[in-house]
Amino acid sequence: MESALTARDRVGVQDFVLLENYNSEATFIENLRRRFRENLIYTYIGSVLVSVNPYKELEIYSKQQMERYRGVSFYEISPHIYAISDNTYRAMRTERRDQCILISGESGAGKTEASKKILLYYAVTCPTNDHMVTLGDRLLQSNPVLEAFGNAKTLRNDNSSRFGKYMDIQFDFKGATMGGHILNYLLEKSRVVHQNHGERNFHIFYQLLEGGDNDLLNTLNLERNPHSYHYLVKGNCPRVSSISDKNNWKVVRKALDVIGFTIEEVQKLLNIIASVLHLGNTLFGEGEEGETYVTTETQLSNVATLLGVDGSALREALTHKKLTAKGEEMISPLNFEQAVSARDALAKAVYGRTFNWLVEKINQSLALKAEINHSRKDTSVIGLLDIYGFEVLQCNSFEQFCINYCNEKLQQLFIELTLRSEQEEYEMEGIAWETVQYFDNKIICDLIEEKHKGIISILDEECLRPGETCDISFLEKLEDTVGGHPHFITHKLANGKTRRAMSREEFRLLHYAGEVNYNVNGFLDKNNDLLNRNLKEVMCQSENQILSHCFRREEVIDQKRPEMAASQFKNSLMKLMEILMSKEPSYVRCIKPNDSKQPGRFDEVLVRHQVKYLGLMENLRVRRAGFAYRRRFEAFLQRYKPLCPETWPNWNGKLADGVSALVNHLGYKTEEYKLGRSKIFIRFPKTLFTTEDALEAKKPEIAVTLQKSWRGYREKAKYQRIRHAVIVIQSGWRGMKARRRAKTRREAAQLIRRFIKGFIYRHEDYCAENDYFLDHVRYSFLKNLRKNLPKNVLDKSWPTPSTLLFEASEHLQRLHMRNMVIKYCRRVQPEWKKQMMQKVVASEIFKDQKGCYPHSVGRLFLDSRLEREQISLKVLQTLGSEKVQYGVSVIKYDRRGFKPRPRQLLLTNTFAVLVDRTKIKQKMDYAALRGISVSSLCDGMVVLHMPCEDNKQKVDVVLHCTHVIEMVTKLAMMASKTNYVNISPGSIRFAVSRTKEGIIDFIRGSELKVAKGKRGHLLVTAPQISIT
């Protein structure tokens, strides 16, 4: 905390105790303003936390923030709700004493949010198991349920708590949550039937109408429009832009499931809520003789159905009352006003008792389970009191009287406990206790609560007094009984100036926080809070289990008058005081900065009003009555030891001696401080500020010294690390090299030994003695083969294998050749494939048999040797659908006389024709072709052998073609006669007619000659072709 003092001119001080002018209210508020302007919403008054509502989300409630405050000393870091939560939790764990946190403030100041933050802190940071996680969820989910049924929109706050709440959180010896219990105080039941302008009824009514599905609303006979219900429109504010009733309804339904409400219980609960709305719409009429009757039978029927009571009995109870006089019962009719009051009283009673049942149900879900075996001694408790702050409205009534009485008691408790803790701390430290002057508000508490003489007792007496009583008679009774009290004033007892500010129906109490005028109208009715006996009887007979639990039969039988509302509140407050007195308290005071809920706006008048009513100045004066600052010796010495040469850098003696040497060096005067047994007490904030400023001025010098020391230490440590690392690396490297050499030698010897042994057994079957050698031979061959594989199908080279691998080598060679062939074939284009097929056929026919074949191998076969325009159009038309597949120019020799005639040989798919210009001279079907004869020399002679069945049919054809290899190959392939090609080495016989043969003789010569030879033979001289 001390570290923030240097910025105090900008952000103020974190603890009001450190204010120089602590008696000045203006200084107090200015410090609040500075911190609020910097979004620093939390400030301490000693151990009291003051919280200002920022009306916006601040990034200070994350899980990281929770961890930051967890286990940290209270004053070590900046003020926060988590700091007081953690300090309370640690005190409970270490001291094994129950704790409580009292949260108070005006409506809209952020009390409910503060309690939520505390619960969330415990749920996140405390140890948990599966049961405790469920319990933590129920603790957190109890908030939206209680807010729905107990909170409402007011002029000051859209989510104002209209009841006081005290929650006990139980922890086991390990510090884990294990149970909880809630007490509720003074629910504002009058809000059920009446709201001021601009205010709303309790949230649950609007959430049900807005968020409930159509089936549910139909079951409850409700309409979705809140304007349809009298109890929801009196404030003329059924919808609020800042509140999403639909979303809140979903949250409430989920929370009810988490807490453990059954479906039936939820339905019964919603029946009651709906019945209150229908009850508000139940209207009355007045007969001629003054009798009252119900005019809205449908609404009354809905109420009876939802409450589970008899409709006629309910109608009778709403319009009549039962009186008992001298042991006899009488039924008396109610007038119109009395019937309306009875209806409203029933609505308030039903809602109020249902709220109490709801709290009981939540307590059952939070209670310690039977299976968890813990004694009471093993458990500790942290209580959370979220209660209304001091209220001063334009018109203050019975509710404000009770609320302000509660705050008087809490202020009395606070002063008493604060002074006690201060005195105990002084005595523990051996410092003389100095009497503290403060305002003791016991006189005001006695004025309100004293037996027989207090205001509450007088109010009860007036309610019980027979005869005509009214609120004015109560006021007169107050004037007679406590009229002389210095803190009590009425219009009758006041002086002239005060009378002008008071009406005749008011009395004024001078509270510790200021003067408040109370209007007595309604005091007696609200204190009576009675429900007609016959209405109770009807409710006792309800089939709704919740109502039958809330309205006991004993209540009707018992003739004893029930306790008044003020006395009930007084007794419950006394019990609360006993609970709080048994615990170690911590305090959170909440302040709202403006009435318009705007972030960043600070209304000084409003804040001053709250500072006064919260008693913050009184708190500060009590805290500052002795010493403004106190710290343990070790913390003080640790922070300020640089300011004294004797204590810097370390003090090795007793802590008290070190602190004494330090303050003497700083020049503290005797009246400025005291040394206790374990703490130093500083009286004036100025002394602390001077010390903090001196430390701030010393920091540059300290920083230089620390930097020098750190750099020297760092470099020395760095050198030592490097030197050590070098030695380790060197030794490790040498060892690794030696191990590697030894391992290499050992592996080499084993390898040589296995290799030699394998060589000796190389001719044996594969076994343990030769496996390595044989594997090596195989591996070496495969490795060599991988590098020397043939690259194409024409490459016939292959590495020579070992005798062991001969068979495998041949198999691999075949596979490789097949693989290369497949790859080659896949790369061949269709036209080249056709070419290759023709070349293969030519090779099969002519290789090593025809002299001119080698000369043709390197030449491509053409699709045709004739251009299309060289073939007569008339011939093409004659062929019809048969397309010419190949054409070539040839010379035909007549069978008689061997006269040469130029012709065209055209091949189609089914036949071949000889063409003379535009005329087809001879057609030769492939099916009839008997054979094809050529010589073995380098000539172009071809004989096509055709059948000859009669003299008229043309027989064998003698042709000469320059491209004889190409022409014969194509003809043989088209006619599928490759096996019918004959290659004759000397002569060829052919049929001239059916009975006569001709002969072609072939001889070698210098050039090609075709002429008629001896004996009528055809002599062909073929030249010799050299192939290079």
Side-chain angles (χ1 to χ4, degrees), residues 142-190:
S142 66
N143 275 317
V145 174
L146 291 176
E147 286 180 14
F149 286 84
N151 288 23
K153 180 203 179 306
T154 65
L155 293 174
R156 298 184 175 186
N157 184 8
D158 289 347
N159 188 32
S160 176
S161 296
R162 306 318 299 162
F163 69 104
K165 179 179 69 175
Y166 175 78
M167 175 185 287
D168 267 339
I169 310 169
Q170 296 164 325
F171 298 84
D172 63 13
F173 69 99
K174 295 179 182 178
T177 52
M178 54 181 293
H181 189 268
I182 298 172
L183 297 175
N184 61 296
Y185 299 95
L186 198 65
L187 176 70
E188 189 185 9
K189 293 183 291 185
S190 60

Side-chain angles (χ1 to χ4, degrees), residues 824-825 828-846 853 856-857 859-863 965-966 968-974 976 978:
Y824 180 78
C825 291
V828 173
Q829 299 295 328
E831 59 270 16
W832 280 102
K833 186 174 181 180
K834 179 180 178 183
Q835 188 76 219
M836 290 290 292
M837 291 174 63
Q838 294 175 1
K839 287 291 184 179
V840 169
V841 172
S843 174
E844 292 174 353
I845 297 173
F846 299 109
Y853 171 73
S856 70
V857 170
R859 298 180 179 178
L860 296 175
F861 290 172
L862 301 182
D863 291 339
I965 302 297
E966 177 182 291
V968 171
T969 300
K970 286 182 178 287
L971 177 59
M973 290 180 69
M974 288 185 182
S976 301
T978 55

